[in-house]
Amino acid sequence: MNIKKYLKKIAQEDLQNVETERDREFLASLKSSSAEEPKKKTRNYQWLWSIPAGVTLCTAAVVLPVVLVPAPDAGDVRYEEANFIRVDSDVNELLGATKDIKINFAAEQKVNVSRIYDSVSGDDLFYTVVVDVSGELFYNLQTRIVVNEKYKPDDFDIEESFETVTYPDYSITYKQEVLSDSEIWINRVYCKAQIENSKYDIYVMNYEEYSFENGSFLTVIADLFDFSI
């Protein structure tokens, strides 16, 4: 069997399913070059028949495996805290960014507002609001009002000891601890909470109140935030 017949046989039998346009061009060039090759002295090609057909095929076609890697979900965004930037803000900016709820600040409240954004994307993430009150009530409230639905805090965990109270427009999942001071007969009340509604998630990172009883945390939240609009 000469080389032209051999190549034709191999191409028909072994490359039937994987042959490409480049393979056909390559085989055609081999056939053409063999046709133009001058006659040479007869040589013994018996060694060629001892090579397995699969090995010979490697000279004609190489099939590379293709690994498909799924593209990242465009909606799956994770913000890294290392990229967070905190800047001073004010009540007017906060109210402009939270038009779907009403926040009722009172004259006797001392309010401090900061805005946190992601330095990589430039996206606003949340506002921190610290409220200090000294009067009939004496408390300090530190909240985080989320304005980016793709942001979820990593430093807030709801534990089994939390309880949930549900209202018509929102719910509060919170934990409260009351410590008594026998010397001055005043309790120190600590709270941590997640407030959920259809518009925003609000996290109470810390609430501290001095009270003769068990504190007024739920009342403070109800007076501060109006979710009915």
Side-chain angles (χ1 to χ4, degrees):
M1 180 183 294
N2 60 34
I3 189 169
K4 285 201 274 186
K5 291 183 179 180
Y6 176 75
L7 289 174
K8 182 176 180 181
K9 182 176 182 298
I10 294 298
Q12 290 177 345
E13 293 180 357
D14 296 324
L15 296 181
Q16 185 176 2
N17 295 324
V18 297
E19 185 180 64
T20 65
E21 186 63 31
R22 180 176 297 177
D23 298 331
R24 288 193 289 271
E25 292 176 1
F26 180 72
L27 291 174
S29 66
L30 285 178
K31 295 176 182 179
S32 175
S33 62
S34 65
E36 297 174 359
E37 185 179 18
K39 292 183 179 181
K40 299 181 180 180
K41 295 181 179 180
T42 303
R43 295 180 180 179
N44 186 1
Y45 290 98
Q46 186 175 359
W47 62 271
L48 183 61
W49 316 135
S50 65
I51 300 177
V55 176
T56 309
L57 272 178
C58 294
T59 64
V62 177
V63 180
L64 298 178
V66 178
V67 179
L68 299 179
V69 179
D73 185 356
D76 186 13
V77 177
R78 183 174 181 82
Y79 297 105
E80 298 294 338
E81 188 172 354
N83 300 322
F84 292 1
I85 302 296
R86 177 187 298 271
V87 295
D88 292 338
S89 184
D90 54 36
V91 171
N92 291 330
E93 183 181 359
L94 171 65
L95 297 179
T98 55
K99 294 181 179 180
D100 293 325
I101 61 173
K102 185 178 180 181
I103 306 177
N104 304 305
F105 294 114
E108 68 273 12
Q109 295 174 337
K110 181 180 178 181
V111 181
N112 183 277
V113 181
S114 299
R115 175 172 59 88
I116 288 77
Y117 70 93
D118 177 61
S119 61
V120 176
S121 65
D123 296 342
D124 287 340
L125 303 177
F126 58 90
Y127 285 82
T128 60
V129 181
V130 179
V131 180
D132 279 303
V133 174
S134 299
E136 293 183 5
L137 286 177
F138 190 97
Y139 68 83
N140 174 272
L141 172 68
Q142 300 177 22
T143 65
R144 183 179 297 180
I145 303 176
V146 178
V147 295
N148 187 322
E149 62 181 8
K150 297 178 181 179
Y151 166 76
K152 299 296 181 183
D154 293 329
D155 54 351
F156 189 96
D157 296 319
I158 294 179
E159 305 166 358
E160 293 183 359
S161 57
F162 281 56
E163 59 179 297
T164 300
V165 179
T166 302
Y167 300 96
D169 302 307
Y170 66 100
S171 65
I172 301 179
T173 300
Y174 74 105
K175 176 182 180 180
Q176 178 169 293
E177 183 179 8
V178 180
L179 301 179
S180 300
D181 191 324
S182 58
E183 294 184 1
I184 60 177
W185 299 98
I186 294 179
N187 295 333
R188 181 174 291 183
V189 181
Y190 296 96
C191 294
K192 185 178 181 181
Q194 179 180 0
I195 306 170
E196 295 181 288
N197 66 94
S198 60
K199 306 297 183 182
Y200 303 97
D201 285 338
I202 300 174
Y203 297 87
V204 178
M205 308 306 293
N206 186 63
Y207 176 85
E208 183 177 352
E209 177 186 350
Y210 290 93
S211 172
F212 289 106
E213 298 181 352
N214 293 329
S216 306
F217 174 68
L218 296 179
T219 301
V220 168
I221 296 300
D223 290 342
L224 184 62
F225 297 109
D226 184 356
F227 302 101
S228 63
I229 64 173

